[in-house]
Amino acid sequence: MKSKTVRKLVIGISLSINLFLIVIIFTPLTEQLYKPLIIDEKPEKSEVIVILSAGIYDDGLPDFGTMVRIRKGLELYRNHHADKIICAGGIKPEGLDISIAEAMKSTLVLHGVPAENVLTEDETINTYNDITYLLKKFESKFNFNNSIFVTSSYHTYRTKKILDKKQVTALIVSANPYELKPISRLERLSLFKSVIREYMALCYFKIQGWV
């Protein structure tokens, strides 16, 4: 009797997991959860463009998520929306003495942005502290109420809420939302994971009083 109960439990769990995966992979549920996280405001002429980092590879190069953000920041710079850029992010690969902000700066310089036009904030390693520290570090240099913050599409809502909490009326511009067009089942699962992680981060930030 006990073995039958266990077998039914295992079968029930297995069916539930399979059903859950089917819903994620074959329905628009993930995209529907994703879309409320996106804020993409029309860029205007500003004092500075702030590019928030995502991640960095072990070899010291910005990861794909960061490169997508850099691309949008570079586009805004080339379209003369601001003359200065701040790269934010203090994560460093193990064994390397280069922060993600410095790697982002190197990438921008490689694409033609003068080094003197790119500033960095690399003292912190999470979104809230990145924003908090850079606002303080550059408060005498820029009016952040006249700035543009660039980040990944799923990350824009949390960024906006942090700035609202600090009474900063910066514009939030989304990088290309490539995540909304997954080309494989694994990518769709990865997207779902990112969405859930973002909602969990929002809950945590709310508990901490950061948003």
Side-chain angles (χ1 to χ4, degrees):
M1 182 67 69
K2 186 176 180 180
S3 62
K4 286 184 179 180
T5 302
V6 172
R7 191 180 303 115
K8 287 181 179 180
L9 180 61
V10 171
I11 292 173
I13 292 173
S14 177
L15 288 173
S16 297
I17 292 173
N18 286 324
L19 179 61
F20 180 68
L21 291 174
I22 288 171
V23 169
I24 294 172
I25 294 172
F26 296 106
T27 76
L29 172 65
T30 301
E31 287 86 344
Q32 294 305 313
L33 290 172
Y34 189 111
K35 288 179 180 178
L37 296 173
I38 302 175
I39 293 176
D40 190 20
E41 299 175 312
K42 183 179 180 181
E44 299 176 357
K45 180 65 177 177
S46 303
E47 292 187 19
V48 63
I49 298 163
V50 179
I51 307 176
L52 301 176
S53 61
I56 186 170
Y57 292 124
D58 291 339
D59 60 4
L61 295 175
D63 71 3
F64 184 74
T66 300
M67 286 301 300
V68 172
R69 302 179 189 194
I70 290 173
R71 181 179 179 182
K72 174 56 71 171
L74 185 60
E75 175 189 314
L76 294 171
Y77 177 84
R78 287 174 172 171
N79 287 332
H80 309 292
H81 287 292
D83 298 324
K84 299 290 184 180
I85 298 174
I86 299 174
C87 297
I91 296 174
K92 294 182 179 180
E94 187 175 351
L96 295 181
D97 190 27
I98 180 172
S99 68
I100 189 169
E102 288 293 339
M104 293 164 71
K105 177 176 180 176
S106 296
T107 303
L108 288 165
V109 171
L110 187 64
H111 283 80
V113 181
E116 61 270 22
N117 287 350
V118 186
L119 308 172
T120 60
E121 186 291 294
D122 59 1
E123 303 297 319
T124 53
I125 59 172
N126 67 56
T127 301
Y128 179 79
N129 288 333
D130 287 347
I131 292 174
T132 299
Y133 193 86
L134 74 86
L135 291 177
K136 183 174 179 61
K137 181 177 181 178
F138 298 109
E139 65 181 346
S140 63
K141 195 173 184 66
F142 302 111
N143 173 15
F144 284 100
N145 289 319
N146 184 28
S147 66
I148 299 171
F149 277 70
V150 177
T151 189
S152 296
S153 53
Y154 65 84
H155 193 235
T156 51
Y157 181 80
R158 180 156 46 119
T159 300
K160 180 69 171 178
K161 298 303 287 185
I162 293 171
L163 291 170
D164 285 348
K165 188 76 172 182
K166 295 181 177 297
Q167 298 181 321
V168 175
T169 57
L171 293 171
I172 309 297
V173 175
S174 169
N176 177 30
Y178 69 92
E179 302 95 339
L180 280 175
K181 298 178 181 179
I183 59 175
S184 71
R185 294 175 184 178
L186 285 177
E187 285 191 3
R188 187 174 287 276
L189 286 172
S190 178
L191 173 60
F192 181 78
K193 179 181 176 182
S194 296
V195 170
I196 295 304
R197 184 172 62 240
E198 188 62 23
Y199 277 108
M200 290 176 66
L202 279 166
C203 290
Y204 176 74
F205 276 40
K206 184 67 174 178
I207 292 169
Q208 295 294 324
W210 295 346
V211 297

